[in-house]
Structure formats: C-alpha cells, structure tokens
Amino acid sequence: MSALYVEVLATKGSTPRDAGTAMKVTETETVGTIGGGALEYDAIARARAILAARGPEETQTVPLGPNLGQCCGGSVTLRFTRTPRPTDQIDTVRQPICQAPSRPAPLLIWGAGHVGRAVVRACPAHAFNITWIDSHADRFPTRVPKTVAVTPARDMPMLAARAPFHAHHLIFTYAHDIDLALCAALLRRGFASCGLIGSATKWARFQKRLRTTGLDPTPITCPIGDKSLGKRPDAIASGTVGMLLSHLKAPV
C-alpha cells in the first residue's frame, strides 16, 4: 500500500508539536500524529490527495491562527514526502504506567483524538469511571476498554452542563471553539477538577474570553501534563494521568 509521510520541518511561535515530528498517511489509515485538530485533519486530506493524484512531494507553511482558527499563534512548515528522514519521530502505542487509586473516580474525557486515546490507554484499569465523549461516533477507535462508556454527543457543551458535580474533566477536542464552550459550560456547572490541553498562548486568550462573560477561569488547569516529558500524545497522557492521580492522593 502506498504511503506518504507528513513531517514537521520547522515551527515558529506556539505550535502543537516540534520539528522532527512525523506521521504516516495511507489511503485508509494513519500512524502517528503531528498534533491533531484542524492542522492534522487538513494535512491528512492533502496527503491523500497527493497519493490519489500520484503528485510530487511538496512543502507548505501553515499559519495556525488565520488558516485554521486555532489560538496557538504560531506556524508550522510541513513536508509531504514518500521517504521519511531517519530523525523523524512517529509515535507508537505505549502501555499504561500509572497505578490505580483505591476507589474509582468519575472522569469525563472530551475528545477522541490522539491525546484522548492516549489518556484512555494510560489510565490504569478501574482507576476511573470513564465517560468518553466526542461529537462524531466515527472518531472513536474500534476497540475500547469495557470499563469506558463511549458517548457520541453532537452538542458537547450541552452535555457538560449536566455533568456530575464531583466529576473530573479532561478537554482534548479537535476545535478551539468547542474547547472554549466546554470550559464555559463546566465553569458554570462546577467540577472536582478540569484540565485543558493547550499552549500558554491559547490559555491566555481563553482566560480573557471567559472573563468577558463573567466567568473565573482559575479552577481550570492549562496547560496540562508535564512539559518536560514532551509533546507526544503518550507523554502528555502520562503527565496528565499522573497529575490527576496525585490530585486524588493515590500512589503513582
């Protein structure tokens, strides 16, 4: 099966992934991630168009804000190639590394992209009562642990407005406007904890927008995870789940 590799050649400003990150794209599947969201969606579509037309390799620079409606504020230069460089980093699945608390805690995971999937993998068995939510049913993997309740919901903020008060939340959707709407809904509803994926730039803009609506964004944690571990989905998941378990006063 023919394949194309999408490489992050260079970055400027705040971006989801660093230079050297790559993903493999075929007509039917992808391996790895260059950051998810609109950037990755468009890159996959472009790679498949090149494959279908048997077109030449190409390079493009994508401003994240103007072109994709993202708040990162940076830009990414992508290379579409049939021959990856030896230094390219394509993520692989890691096994869970965290230990479970003595009692399961309710956890709502918003978004079934790469980071959401990595968090589900990283959660120890029976550590949480997980409800996994996305606006599109086809975004979920075909295999999901039996302990995870998959919930397609076209209007995720509406569902968030009815969430249990004692639940923990992690927000990883594909669109910044959905992330913002979920933050607002959860701040109005109340929660045990809430973590949002994002850069410092994204969070600064979110805080400003939330405050203009009379909401205090302080209870939300953003960025999440452990920056020293890197930007790979499994690294973000490891840091995020570890911090959540620490919040629950469980051994890690």
Side-chain angles (χ1 to χ4, degrees):
M1 181 181 294
S2 59
L4 205 67
Y5 294 85
V6 183
E7 306 171 343
V8 179
L9 282 185
T11 64
K12 183 178 180 180
S14 178
T15 59
R17 299 298 299 273
D18 297 323
T21 303
M23 68 184 299
K24 179 182 177 180
V25 180
T26 71
E27 291 89 344
T28 59
E29 64 180 4
T30 65
V31 178
T33 174
I34 57 170
L39 170 67
E40 184 165 298
Y41 179 86
D42 287 357
I44 292 171
R46 182 58 194 151
R48 287 177 173 160
I50 294 173
L51 286 171
R54 298 183 179 180
E57 298 182 354
E58 63 180 55
T59 300
Q60 62 177 227
T61 298
V62 184
L64 298 180
N67 282 26
L68 300 176
Q70 296 184 210
C71 296
C72 295
S75 64
V76 176
T77 299
L78 300 177
R79 177 180 178 231
F80 297 81
T81 179
R82 291 177 174 80
T83 307
R85 296 177 300 175
T87 55
D88 286 337
Q89 303 170 13
I90 299 179
D91 299 324
T92 56
V93 175
R94 303 308 202 271
Q95 296 298 317
I97 60 172
C98 301
Q99 298 178 358
S102 57
R103 297 181 61 185
L107 173 62
L108 279 69
I109 298 175
W110 303 89
H114 294 291
V115 178
R117 294 181 183 209
V119 167
V120 170
R121 292 195 301 265
C123 285
H126 310 299
F128 304 97
N129 290 323
I130 298 176
T131 302
W132 197 4
I133 307 152
D134 198 281
S135 57
H136 293 78
D138 59 3
R139 288 178 59 85
F140 294 100
T142 54
R143 295 183 180 181
V144 177
K146 294 181 180 179
T147 54
V148 176
V150 169
T151 306
R154 284 291 180 183
D155 192 334
M156 290 192 283
M158 180 179 292
L159 187 61
R162 305 171 186 169
F165 295 110
H166 62 295
H168 300 268
H169 299 265
L170 294 172
I171 302 174
F172 310 117
T173 81
Y174 59 89
H176 286 190
D177 57 341
I178 298 176
D179 287 352
L180 181 61
L182 284 170
C183 288
L186 291 172
L187 285 170
R188 294 187 181 100
R189 179 63 171 174
F191 47 76
S193 72
C194 181
L196 169 68
I197 193 170
S199 63
T201 301
K202 173 182 174 179
W203 184 227
R205 294 181 181 178
F206 270 35
Q207 289 181 85
K208 183 177 180 180
R209 294 176 187 177
L210 290 168
R211 288 193 172 102
T212 60
T213 63
L215 295 170
D216 177 12
T218 305
I220 297 176
T221 299
C222 182
I224 54 173
D226 182 346
K227 187 176 181 181
S228 67
L229 298 177
K231 294 182 178 180
R232 301 184 315 276
D234 62 285
I236 296 171
S238 177
T240 299
V241 174
M243 291 179 67
L244 185 54
L245 290 172
S246 296
H247 178 80
L248 299 175
K249 298 183 179 180
V252 294

